[in-house]
Amino acid sequence: MKLLLVEDEKRMAQALAELLRLENYEVDVCRDGLSGLEAATGNLYDIVILDVMLPGIDGFELVKSLRKQNIRTPVLMLTAKSGLEDTVTGLDSGADDYLTKPFLTEELLARLRALIRRNIHSDDGTLSFGDIALETGVSSLICTATGQSVRLSEKEYRILEYLIANQGRILTREQLAVKIWGFDSDAEYNNVEVYLSFTRRKLAFIGAKTTIKALRGIGYELRYSDV
Ligand code: CA
C-alpha cells in the first residue's frame, strides 16, 4: 500500500511518516499543496492523507482538483479545527473521511484500514470487475460466469488488484512498473509486458470475458464485454 502524505508542518510530517512506515505502508511526503497535487495526479497512491492548511493551495482545493480530473484515490483529511464547517467543506470538496487534529495514532490507522477496505473490497472481501473476482486470502482468480478459478502469482494478483481498483481508467506501463515493482526503468517495462501476458492467459484459461486491453502508446485498461 502506497500512501501520499501532504503535510507542511515538518515535525508532524516526519512523525506520521515514521509511524506509517512502521505499519508497512510505503509513504511519500509532500510539504505544500502544489507538489502534493502533482504527486497525487500521478494516481499511484492507494490513499492520500491531506492536511487542510497548506502553503500554495489548500487541502480543499487540492482534493477538488483531483476529483475534477476524475482521480478517485481515497482522501483522508486532517482538519486543524474541530469546527463542523471545515468537516463539511472537506467532504463537499470530495474527501472520503476526515480526522480532527490532534488525533490518536490508533484512530488514524483504523481510518486508513477502513478506507482501504471501502475502496477496493466488496463486503465479502472480494475484488471484482465484469465477470471476474479476486479472492484476497488465497490469491485466486475466479470467473463468476463459468465458476472456474486459477491460482495467481503475487505479481499477477497485484496487477489485477491495481487494474480493478482503477476500473474505468487507463493505467500506463510506467504506473504499473512503479506500483508493482517499485521502479520505473526499461527492465521493469519488460516485466510489465511479461506479467500482463501471463495474466491474460489466466483470464482466458478460466473463460473470462474480462480482458486487459492495451491502448497503443497510452496504457492498459480492464474491459468487459458480455457478447
Ligand atoms: Ca498545515
Side-chain angles (χ1 to χ4, degrees):
M1 285 285 157
K2 233 173 134 68
L3 306 188
L4 175 66
L5 172 62
V6 189
E7 164 67 78
D8 59 318
E9 206 219 303
K10 197 174 174 188
R11 279 180 54 198
M12 178 79 170
Q14 278 174 345
L16 273 181
E18 195 176 321
L19 167 83
L20 294 166
R21 287 181 186 125
L22 282 174
E23 295 292 319
N24 291 321
Y25 292 108
E26 281 176 63
V27 187
D28 288 343
V29 179
C30 289
R31 302 270 306 280
D32 66 83
L34 285 172
S35 61
L37 177 61
E38 197 185 324
T41 302
N43 198 29
L44 287 167
Y45 297 98
D46 297 292
I47 290 192
V48 178
I49 302 172
L50 182 61
D51 187 30
V52 171
M53 298 300 287
L54 293 166
I57 57 170
D58 69 19
F60 299 137
E61 289 303 315
L62 198 161
V63 70
K64 225 184 272 176
S65 171
L66 279 185
R67 298 307 185 233
K68 212 178 279 174
Q69 298 173 73
N70 200 25
I71 291 168
R72 294 191 301 255
T73 311
V75 172
L76 175 64
M77 271 202 159
L78 305 178
T79 58
K81 307 164 215 162
S82 59
L84 183 65
E85 205 179 307
D86 263 13
T87 304
V88 171
T89 311
L91 295 174
D92 278 351
S93 310
D96 298 87
D97 200 0
Y98 67 91
L99 207 49
T100 305
K101 288 176 175 177
F103 49 82
L104 296 173
T105 56
E106 280 313 312
E107 183 169 15
L108 172 71
L109 296 173
R111 297 286 185 99
L112 288 176
R113 288 192 295 269
L115 274 180
I116 290 164
R117 279 198 304 271
R118 212 195 299 167
N119 186 38
I120 61 172
H121 298 292
S122 63
D123 295 342
D124 60 357
T126 58
L127 260 169
S128 59
F129 174 85
D131 62 351
I132 61 166
L134 284 179
E135 228 178 316
T136 52
V138 290
S139 293
S140 65
L141 172 67
I142 304 148
C143 177
T144 52
T146 65
Q148 294 199 64
S149 69
V150 65
R151 282 293 297 269
L152 297 176
S153 72
E154 187 228 339
K155 301 290 187 219
E156 293 162 350
Y157 182 89
R158 292 187 58 197
I159 285 172
L160 280 173
E161 182 183 53
Y162 190 39
L163 285 166
I164 292 174
N166 287 281
Q167 50 191 272
R169 297 182 56 84
I170 297 164
L171 297 176
T172 64
R173 199 174 53 167
E174 290 78 1
Q175 285 176 314
L176 282 159
V178 172
K179 177 75 184 185
I180 314 295
W181 281 269
F183 294 102
D184 177 355
S185 69
D186 285 344
E188 306 306 348
Y189 297 160
N190 288 335
N191 276 332
V192 171
E193 306 285 344
V194 168
Y195 277 88
L196 280 171
S197 85
F198 290 162
T199 309
R200 285 197 180 100
R201 248 179 273 169
K202 293 200 172 167
L203 286 167
F205 177 76
I206 58 169
K209 285 177 176 163
T210 297
T211 53
I212 301 170
K213 170 93 177 150
L215 298 124
R216 196 179 292 269
I218 308 174
Y220 305 91
E221 184 184 30
L222 273 186
R223 293 268 178 90
Y224 170 66
S225 162
D226 200 11
V227 289

